[in-house]
Amino acid sequence: MDHRSMLFAVVMVICLILLQQPVSAKGAGDTEWLTPSNVTLYWGEQVLIGGYTITAQDFSPSKPVDLPDDYVMLNVKSNTSRSWGAILALNNSIIPNETILDGSIRLTANKIITGRDIPTPYATIEVALANIPSVSKQIPWINSVVRVKRLPVNEAYIDERVNILIEVISQKDMSLENIRINETVPAGFITDPDIEGTCWTISLSPGEKRSLSYSIRALRPGTFLIPGMQMFFDHNGVTHHLQTNASEIVIHGPYIDVNKSFIYQDMRTDGLLNVTLRVSNTGDRAAYVQLTDQIPQNCQLISGNLSKSQVMQPSDIWVLEYSVLVGSGENIVIPGAKVRFVDSREYGDAFESASFLFRIQENIVEKTETEEDMSLAETPVKTEAETQENMVTEKINSVSSLKRCLINLIERAIGWRS
């Protein structure tokens, strides 16, 4: 028996089960249906109608010629994450051409085309939605079976553990197995190292209550959103999904941030490194901050301050500037600044900002020439002889001036005048 034949046999068994245990107890005569929609679904395609996503998952095996008893396998998923499987066929004594799911959606096969002479099989399905008034809409089945509570934490301090407590309560006289519960830790938090994770698989006896918990800690202050808890379990071939609402939490505390920037000026034999240190408190609590910066080895501080100690209020910013003399043109390692802080609750920390490898040749800032410097550089420098010659040329404009010029030339020739 090949793979497709085995699949067909499985499909037949599923159909018999579905016929013996229909998904919905409502018949077509008990429900008022809205005007149906006709959709054509190729293999693997899906369509969204009235909160239901319908997917054409598979078709009957292809044959050399198209036969009238082909079938299509559909998957239907609601916007509440409930899902069903349905099989529809034409001219088949075992598989029906119509089914009703959830008492709210009716699927009728009008055309099913397979065969080896077409690119892909497809089916034309008539989809009708039940005319159910919103006021009489039933509560999702999962909400009547299981009740979930997640006790929220609205605020905490940055050094405190945030404890998340989850309660799962069975509300029916039935046992539930393989209940999957998933919690998502938001960005900016770390979990307690004592716990193994935030995903659990549990079982519930009739009326039983289970409590689950874990703790997280914030890495910095701010307002964060903790995603809702998600729960999944299977019952009678249907996967049920429940998700709680997300909760907001505010984390208080100081947060000291340090940034460095550099400008290097080449001075031929030495270099001048100008450093700007920017320190800010981006938290929502004040703290007493002690800042001490470090200069690179073999460098000399020539101006500015390297340290400051003061209370920093939220949103305060310090800017420290200093200059050091660099003795060589090679790359230098700029060490990080050392910071210690403590707040009124005695929460504090000490850290050192990142060091930095400064590549001098890639960061040289040349001195920019001004227009005055350029004009002076372009002006030719006259020699003394040229100056004297010009003086002679400029003064010969009469007989008396000619006489004086001749006397000057004679005296210069015999060395009387320099």
Side-chain angles (χ1 to χ4, degrees), residues 274 321 395:
N274 299 305
E321 296 178 332
K395 293 179 179 178

Side-chain angles (χ1 to χ4, degrees), residues 54 85 90 94 114 149 247 254 264 293 301 341 385 415:
I54 307 167
L90 297 175
I94 300 177
T114 63
K149 293 194 304 182
S247 58
Y264 180 83
D293 204 359
L301 178 68
F341 69 91

Side-chain angles (χ1 to χ4, degrees), residues 168-359:
V168 185
I169 306 168
S170 172
Q171 301 186 117
K172 289 280 189 179
D173 188 18
M174 58 186 299
S175 297
L176 299 174
E177 305 291 336
N178 195 32
I179 303 174
R180 285 94 63 196
I181 297 175
N182 300 331
E183 277 278 343
T184 301
V185 178
F189 286 78
I190 57 174
T191 57
D192 190 328
D194 296 335
I195 66 171
E196 297 181 357
T198 58
C199 298
W200 304 269
T201 300
I202 65 172
S203 299
L204 286 177
S205 302
E208 182 183 2
K209 180 176 77 171
R210 290 285 300 273
S211 296
L212 306 168
S213 65
Y214 67 99
S215 61
I216 55 179
R217 188 172 67 85
L219 298 175
R220 61 181 303 158
T223 301
F224 302 90
L225 196 67
I226 301 179
M229 181 217 72
Q230 298 195 67
M231 182 177 70
F232 303 85
F233 69 89
D234 301 323
H235 182 70
N236 288 343
V238 177
T239 299
H240 301 275
H241 172 229
L242 185 148
Q243 180 171 346
T244 63
N245 294 328
S247 58
E248 188 176 84
I249 183 171
V250 179
I251 302 297
H252 302 290
Y255 191 82
I256 310 303
D257 195 22
V258 179
N259 288 291
K260 271 187 180 183
S261 59
F262 324 94
I263 296 178
Y264 180 83
Q265 290 180 315
D266 188 16
M267 301 174 64
R268 296 186 180 178
T269 57
D270 295 317
L272 185 66
L273 183 66
N274 299 305
V275 181
T276 300
L277 195 63
R278 184 182 177 91
V279 185
S280 59
N281 180 5
T282 58
D284 64 349
R285 295 292 187 270
Y288 181 76
V289 180
Q290 295 176 298
L291 170 71
T292 304
D293 204 359
Q294 308 172 86
I295 64 174
Q297 291 183 353
N298 304 320
C299 294
Q300 179 184 354
L301 178 68
I302 59 175
S303 66
N305 295 320
L306 295 176
S307 62
K308 185 172 182 177
S309 298
Q310 188 176 315
V311 174
M312 288 196 79
Q313 301 294 335
S315 302
D316 274 1
I317 297 175
W318 295 349
V319 178
L320 279 71
E321 296 178 332
Y322 61 89
S323 300
V324 296
L325 197 63
V326 180
S328 65
E330 299 179 356
N331 298 334
I332 56 176
V333 176
I334 301 177
K338 294 183 178 181
V339 178
R340 296 180 64 89
F341 69 91
V342 63
D343 66 4
S344 60
R345 292 169 51 108
E346 298 186 356
Y347 162 72
D349 197 5
F351 66 92
E352 183 173 328
S353 63
S355 58
F356 186 80
L357 177 62
F358 192 80
R359 304 181 185 277

Side-chain angles (χ1 to χ4, degrees), residues 46-64:
Q46 60 181 213
V47 64
L48 176 63
I49 297 179
Y52 294 90
T53 301
I54 307 167
T55 305
Q57 281 195 325
D58 207 350
F59 287 80
S60 53
S62 299
K63 304 178 181 65

Side-chain angles (χ1 to χ4, degrees), residues 20 29 61 110 118 147 155 220 241 261 310 329 336 349 368 373 402 416:
Q20 294 174 1
N110 290 337
I118 59 174
R147 184 161 60 95
E155 60 180 349
R220 61 181 303 158
H241 172 229
S261 59
Q310 188 176 315
D349 197 5
T368 304
D373 294 335
L402 176 61
W416 288 6

